[in-house]
Amino acid sequence: MDHALAWQVEQACLNAWPALRSALHGDWLLRFGDGVSRRINSANPLHPAITTIAPQLDAFDRLYRAQALPLIVRLVSLLPPQVERELDTRGFTAEGEACTLYRDLLRESFAAVGPDVTITPCADAEWLAAIARLQAQSPSHASVYARVVEATALPTGFFALRQDGRVVATAYGVLHDGLVVIESVVVDEALRGHGLGKRLMTALLAWASGQGATGACLQVVTDNTAGRALYAGLGFDRELYRYHFRRAPTK
């Protein structure tokens, strides 16, 4: 495994889906996002030298309780087994495994983006309304989602694919240190299986390559068979690492 690349991708993914509030605590980044998305409501490791978590758990628990949130640890497979054993000892349960996929962009040329795909540097009202509809977001979820993408500090492209003037697929890409992180790939459920996701992703990769990105990465739930098949067909055939969440027992 290329550990340097894996940790570079991990940092890029943290930046591509920012928390609304955060706190550094030793070797960990505590992220808070008003309860929407475990990724931005969990404690995240910052580097490969971490060998323990037990001494920090009580302090983490107090901080999350102060935000009326459960303590969730996002445990990446890049850490030594000792960290997971400590969580097992404290009764933390496991949930939500995902894998991190990578592909090189240097060996392929991409066709120009078609007229059915639009790209904007910010998530405008139409794009946000479209993804809220496609994901069936509740009003509170939609509000938090809009604040999260607005908080992204790095160069970003928001992609919308239209049919008959209506947005039927969305995604966005965030540029970080020669990488593009791909987020929020959503296709209208009634139109899945018609190649819309592939067309949108191809446009996003073409844009990223034109912006100087030499690699692309994304994170997908491990049991998302359809999503993983789409990404494999687009060259995401290298798995760098996995992560899952460990939830503190209810007191």
Side-chain angles (χ1 to χ4, degrees), residues 135-146:
Q135 287 190 322
Q137 296 174 355
S138 67
S140 60
H141 183 168
S143 175
V144 172
Y145 184 95

Side-chain angles (χ1 to χ4, degrees), residues 1-2 5 100-103 235-241:
M1 179 191 295
D2 186 338
L5 175 62
T100 304
L101 306 177
Y102 175 84
R103 65 152 292 172
F236 288 88
D237 53 6
R238 184 177 177 186
E239 182 177 314
L240 293 179
Y241 61 94

Side-chain angles (χ1 to χ4, degrees), residues 186-228:
V186 186
V187 177
D188 189 321
E189 189 172 353
L191 298 172
R192 289 176 186 173
H194 292 78
L196 301 181
K198 184 174 182 178
R199 282 163 56 193
L200 188 67
M201 288 279 290
T202 300
L204 196 158
L205 293 173
W207 167 81
S209 180
Q211 297 293 314
T214 58
C217 57
L218 55 86
Q219 295 178 321
V220 58
V221 175
T222 305
D223 60 6
N224 182 354
T225 305
R228 295 189 68 179

Side-chain angles (χ1 to χ4, degrees), residues 98-118:
C99 54
T100 304
L101 306 177
Y102 175 84
R103 65 152 292 172
D104 187 275
L105 294 180
L106 289 174
R107 298 188 300 273
E108 185 173 344
S109 58
F110 296 93
V113 177
D116 56 347
V117 176
T118 56

Side-chain angles (χ1 to χ4, degrees), residues 33-55:
D34 289 350
V36 172
S37 168
R38 288 171 296 195
R39 281 195 292 160
I40 55 171
N41 289 279
S42 56
N44 293 260
L46 289 175
H47 57 73
I50 293 171
T51 59
T52 184
I53 190 175

